[in-house]
Amino acid sequence: MTVQSSATTPTGIAVSGPATASGGKSSGTLLAALGVVAFSLTFPATSWGLDGFGPWSLVAVRSVLAALIAGGCLLGLRVPLPERRHWFGLAVVAAGVVLGFPLLTTLALQTSTTAHAAVVVGLLPLTTALLSALRIGTRPSRTFWIAALAGAAAVVAFTVQQSGGALTTADAYLFAALLVCAAGYTEGGRLARVMPGWQVIGWALVLCLPLTVPATALALTQEPVHLTAHSVAGLLWVAAGSQFLGLVVWYRGMAAIGVPKASQLQLAQPLLTLVWSVLLLGEHLTVAAPLTAAAVLVCIAVTQRSRG
């Protein structure tokens, strides 16, 4: 029988044996999964937000609100400025996750259903894993890649079938969003290894304020605003839930279990989005959904067990 021991370093950080490492991976998986649940509500919430806001106004206001929440936390806890070497990575996170993905997907959702938009998150895990391999140097196993490709193929086939397979201008927005978001996730996951995940997204949001504040003022004068219960609820969720809290737990989870494995948990996100689309938006869901869900869960299990 093996006895686990633990000690405390002079800095006050607890160091423990394999049991703690295993527990850390379990909690990391749970945190990343909570991030996926938060993200799965983004498209339905955005559709609600578009009931009362224009696309540019919605994106600008959500970014400012999220930055105010993040900035308040950073100031309240007296978090020092990041080191100069981290600012480029934070700029990539800001461009991809704070600005690029929300704007491009919001523009797409003007003419696309949430089911069709789910194609982008079906491909996001594979794209994130690819960029991670290039940027961070990760080398997942062959089993990992086979399972990832199979899961992505299942999700894409399902979501494309749901939308009729037509390629439109909205698809161009979605595929562009896919690339910039994968870059932001990859860089954010790398930074979360050296600084707390909530600070990664917090500083990225604050970094965007010189752009988002004037953009908000301009957009609100150009696009009419009609406040409704749905539009306000949608705005609050995409600002506090998707833009800040979801990314906080997501980056922390990625730091614990690695970018490739965390990204594969997102294979379940399109199916969760479809469920929310039925419950919140009244969209129709076919009987193919549970079959695809089962296939995706098998792929996720394989990727979580495979060794890089």
Side-chain angles (χ1 to χ4, degrees):
M1 180 175 64
T2 303
V3 178
Q4 302 294 337
S5 61
S6 62
T8 303
T9 67
T11 60
I13 301 174
V15 179
S16 56
T20 300
S22 176
K25 289 185 177 181
S26 297
S27 63
T29 300
L30 176 60
L31 289 171
L34 289 175
V36 170
V37 174
F39 299 152
S40 71
L41 282 160
T42 300
F43 287 170
T46 299
S47 294
W48 274 9
L50 287 172
D51 287 345
F53 295 88
W56 295 90
S57 299
L58 180 61
V59 173
V61 173
R62 71 180 274 186
S63 297
V64 170
L65 290 178
L68 292 176
I69 297 172
C73 294
L74 292 169
L75 285 174
L77 296 174
R78 298 181 179 179
V79 177
L81 289 172
E83 297 178 26
R84 182 179 298 180
R85 62 192 176 96
H86 296 323
W87 281 108
F88 174 78
L90 290 171
V92 174
V93 175
V97 177
V98 176
L99 298 177
F101 187 78
L103 177 59
L104 291 166
T105 53
T106 300
L107 291 173
L109 284 170
Q110 287 189 289
T111 56
S112 173
T113 65
T114 56
H116 189 81
V119 171
V120 69
V121 287
L123 294 175
L124 187 55
L126 181 59
T127 308
T128 303
L130 286 171
L131 290 183
S132 173
L134 295 174
R135 178 69 176 90
I136 305 177
T138 55
R139 293 293 182 269
S141 67
R142 182 179 300 179
T143 301
F144 177 96
W145 285 115
I146 292 174
L149 287 169
V155 170
V156 170
F158 176 70
T159 51
V160 169
Q161 185 273 332
Q162 291 290 292
S163 62
L167 296 179
T168 63
T169 302
D171 293 312
Y173 288 134
L174 291 171
F175 284 116
L178 166 71
L179 294 176
V180 298
C181 189
Y185 279 174
T186 299
E187 201 64 25
R190 185 186 68 82
L191 287 172
R193 295 178 177 180
V194 296
M195 59 192 297
W198 75 272
Q199 293 182 24
V200 173
I201 186 57
W203 286 117
L205 286 163
V206 171
L207 187 64
C208 290
L209 279 175
L211 293 174
T212 55
V213 169
T216 298
L218 178 61
L220 289 175
T221 61
Q222 299 297 316
E223 296 177 337
V225 175
H226 305 287
L227 296 182
T228 64
H230 276 180
S231 64
V232 172
L235 171 63
L236 292 177
W237 179 259
V238 293
S242 302
Q243 194 86 70
F244 183 62
L245 297 177
L247 286 167
V248 167
V249 295
W250 173 246
Y251 281 138
R252 187 170 180 180
M254 279 202 296
I257 64 176
V259 174
K261 287 191 175 182
S263 69
Q264 298 315 301
L265 291 174
Q266 280 194 305
L267 287 170
Q269 185 175 326
L271 301 175
L272 288 173
T273 298
L274 291 172
V275 171
W276 298 128
S277 298
V278 171
L279 296 177
L280 301 177
L281 304 177
E283 294 185 3
H284 177 66
L285 189 65
T286 67
V287 293
L291 296 178
T292 308
V296 168
L297 290 175
V298 169
C299 293
I300 291 175
V302 173
T303 59
Q304 294 301 298
R305 291 181 177 275
S306 64
R307 295 181 178 180

